[in-house]
Amino acid sequence: MTTTSEPGHDRPDPSLDAIMSERRQLINLAYRLLGSLADAEDVVQETYARWYAMSRQQQEAIASPGAWLTKVAGRICLDLLGSARARRESYVGEWIPEPLPDRAEWIDGRGGGTTDPADPADRITLDESVTMAFLVVLESMTPAERVAFVLHEVFRYSFAEVAEIVGRTPAACRQLASSARRRIRASQALPAPAGPRAGLVRDFKQAWEAKDIDTLVGLLDPRATMIADGGGLVSAVLRPIEGGEQIARYIIAIADMAPGLTILERTVNGQPGLVAQRDGVTVTVAAFDVPGDRITRIWAVRNPEKLWPWTGEPQAASDSGHDARHGEGETTIT
């Protein structure tokens, strides 16, 4: 199996530098597969634990350590995806993927500033495959569809290589990826040009602050949907709000109930978004879907366990039930 890592990783080289250089690739893969940075970090840690559980002789017998690590990480993610659906059935309210800030806006989980933007390790590359709209569509797929699609379409693995991870034939993996592509096309998950999208989000922010309901309604598609994720830990609507006017009235009501709320323009999963802060602490991160000249979907993440990169507060536990581990080797983004 080949990887998209730097040249030279196909040679047997179990040294620490060679193995740890694969971390960025693994984090990128696991986040797209799981929609949770905390879970992705757990997967990568478990993958490395399995590598170092082998003897030196076993490690040296592996022709491509990078490919081996990817295969193991992919299988762990597949197992987690299979059990996540059952756990999310008991999740309070709607489940939204964990939002990511821009590198410059990332808060060090240990407190005390942002991560070093020059550090090449452990970043998630922000592109169209990590937009909130894209990740939400991935959530609708079966675990096998999601793994096959992400590995083949995003990371360019062959179907023969994908088959080794998914445990199906290459032909079956091709069908899985094809089904996933149809879901993506049907959802119109690809974003509009950045310029108009940023302007619409800025206009939305200003109208929200001014409590201008007419302008808000004009910015929203009449069939727009807003989904909030509080995880049962903070207040949030438990069901989607449908309709542009209903959404506008709801967020005006929020402004009335929280007069001290500060709304900031921020990058969310590589796209223009908004962050709400109270007393300088991020309490909500909002992502927008703007496929045309109006906002069609809003995802508002309020669950504090999903906001640690924005708040600097360590996360107690991830949605999968694994402990989230931060500190050494903390993940940053590009």
Side-chain angles (χ1 to χ4, degrees):
M1 181 181 288
T2 58
T3 73
T4 55
S5 309
E6 293 103 350
H9 285 182
D10 289 336
R11 297 191 302 270
D13 186 0
S15 69
L16 179 62
D17 289 344
I19 296 303
M20 293 308 293
S21 66
E22 298 290 339
R23 180 176 170 83
R24 176 181 178 179
Q25 167 89 348
L26 299 176
I27 284 285
N28 271 280
L29 173 65
Y31 175 74
R32 285 163 174 81
L33 290 179
L34 301 175
S36 166
L37 186 57
D39 285 353
E41 289 182 328
D42 287 346
V43 166
V44 173
Q45 183 163 330
E46 173 63 20
T47 300
Y48 280 123
R50 295 187 187 185
W51 171 267
Y52 287 109
M54 295 189 296
S55 67
R56 181 62 178 268
Q57 183 178 12
Q58 289 173 316
Q59 292 172 355
E60 291 178 342
I62 296 174
S64 174
W68 185 92
L69 291 168
T70 299
K71 185 175 181 179
V72 170
R75 285 179 173 173
I76 295 173
C77 288
L78 185 62
D79 290 342
L80 286 176
L81 286 169
S83 58
R85 287 193 169 190
R87 286 192 300 273
R88 288 174 189 170
E89 286 179 359
S90 61
Y91 191 81
V92 179
E94 300 285 335
W95 191 95
I96 298 175
E98 199 171 283
L100 293 178
D102 181 76
R103 180 183 65 189
E105 297 158 9
W106 186 276
I107 301 298
D108 190 326
R110 290 162 288 184
T114 58
T115 53
D116 179 6
D119 182 2
D122 306 339
R123 296 179 185 165
I124 288 183
T125 304
L126 296 180
D127 57 27
E128 67 277 3
S129 69
V130 291
T131 65
M132 191 62 73
F134 192 87
L135 291 176
V136 168
V137 177
L138 292 181
E139 285 293 318
S140 70
M141 299 178 185
T142 67
E145 279 180 332
R146 187 167 185 167
V147 173
F149 178 82
V150 170
L151 282 170
H152 180 71
E153 298 292 333
V154 179
F155 291 90
R156 302 303 179 188
Y157 285 89
S158 70
F159 286 119
E161 294 168 328
V162 174
E164 294 183 36
I165 295 174
V166 179
R168 303 194 186 187
T169 66
C173 291
R174 185 185 299 275
Q175 291 179 339
L176 288 170
S178 178
S179 174
R181 280 194 299 272
R182 287 194 294 271
R183 291 178 188 262
I184 294 292
R185 286 195 296 267
S187 71
Q188 297 181 330
L190 295 180
R197 186 169 61 248
L200 279 169
V201 172
R202 181 176 298 113
D203 291 344
F204 186 91
K205 168 187 177 292
Q206 293 171 349
W208 187 3
E209 292 172 329
K211 301 181 183 179
D212 185 346
I213 191 167
D214 291 335
T215 298
L216 286 171
V217 171
L219 294 169
L220 290 159
D221 186 280
R223 296 169 295 178
T225 301
M226 178 177 178
I227 297 175
D229 177 349
L233 301 177
V234 295
S235 61
V237 288
L238 298 181
R239 295 179 181 176
I241 300 174
E242 298 181 347
E245 184 173 349
Q246 288 77 7
I247 294 171
R249 294 189 182 282
Y250 175 76
I251 66 168
I252 292 295
I254 291 176
D256 289 336
M257 290 185 293
L261 213 58
T262 300
I263 311 300
L264 304 172
E265 293 179 50
R266 291 290 185 265
T267 300
V268 181
N269 285 62
Q271 306 296 327
L274 297 177
V275 167
Q277 293 185 342
R278 181 177 290 113
D279 298 325
V281 177
T282 295
V283 294
T284 303
V285 174
F288 295 79
D289 189 18
V290 189
D293 59 359
R294 288 191 178 188
I295 297 166
T296 59
R297 287 179 289 182
I298 303 174
W299 298 278
V301 180
R302 302 203 65 233
N303 184 342
E305 292 185 349
K306 296 183 178 183
L307 298 180
W308 64 268
W310 307 80
T311 64
E313 294 295 327
Q315 181 176 356
S318 63
D319 178 53
S320 70
H322 294 244
D323 290 336
R325 291 175 279 273
H326 311 297
E328 293 299 325
E330 185 164 349
T331 308
T332 57
I333 58 175
T334 58

